[in-house]
Amino acid sequence: MKNYFKIMMALVVICLPFAFTSCGSDDDEGPKKTTYNWELINTTPPGSATSEVKIAAAQAEQAIDEALYNKFNGKGWTATKAERKFIVTGGTDITNDQLVKIAFNEVLYNLSASTKEALPNGAQVAVKRGKTTVDKATLN
């Protein structure tokens, strides 16, 4: 029994340092990843609109999605157009929000007048981080 106790104590002494160094859940997390979404608001014409108006609005939505997708991917962020989302790796919420605002407004500035005019009055686009609206703009 005395030998058993010595063996167990030796194992505790040998294994104890590993308990403190490898139990952390954040050992391999890497840099922070922040997910953003963009959404189009009030961009669908009323049901009474003509087919031409509905098609023009749908094309305008596609043009906006494409512009945002290209801009965000061009910044090195990982964007998914079908989900209208992108991920920024690194930074903090405050600095990332500022970078996102700049990129977002560059896209809006460069949208053609015909794209904006094809949408119903009061159409908007917004970019959000979770439930926080980072920026929002009326398109026409």
Side-chain angles (χ1 to χ4, degrees):
M1 187 66 142
K2 213 176 202 184
N3 286 337
Y4 176 76
F5 181 72
K6 287 181 183 180
I7 292 171
M8 291 306 290
M9 288 306 293
L11 285 173
V12 167
V13 170
I14 291 170
C15 296
L16 191 58
F18 295 109
F20 293 112
T21 60
S22 62
C23 286
S25 63
D26 60 347
D27 289 344
D28 296 325
E29 284 184 15
K32 175 182 170 123
K33 293 185 181 206
T34 306
T35 301
Y36 292 85
N37 293 83
W38 71 88
E39 64 180 3
L40 302 177
I41 304 160
N42 299 325
T43 57
T44 304
S48 61
T50 65
S51 296
E52 292 81 16
V53 168
K54 291 177 183 177
I55 290 169
Q59 290 171 337
E61 287 178 342
Q62 290 175 351
I64 294 165
D65 283 339
E66 185 72 20
L68 290 168
Y69 168 79
N70 288 333
K71 175 58 91 174
F72 297 149
N73 270 327
K75 292 287 186 184
W77 305 331
T78 307
T80 307
K81 188 174 16 175
E83 296 178 33
R84 290 183 174 151
K85 81 173 187 178
F86 60 102
I87 298 171
V88 178
T89 302
T92 65
D93 288 347
I94 293 170
T95 58
N96 290 342
D97 287 358
Q98 291 303 315
L99 294 172
V100 167
K101 280 183 183 187
I102 292 167
F104 176 74
N105 283 288
E106 287 173 352
V107 168
L108 297 180
Y109 180 77
N110 290 316
L111 283 177
S112 70
S114 62
T115 297
K116 294 176 184 178
E117 291 168 0
L119 298 167
N121 287 334
Q124 297 178 323
V125 61
V127 64
K128 296 181 175 188
R129 176 181 38 81
K131 293 185 179 188
T132 301
T133 301
V134 174
D135 207 350
K136 185 176 186 178
T138 300
L139 296 168
N140 51 24

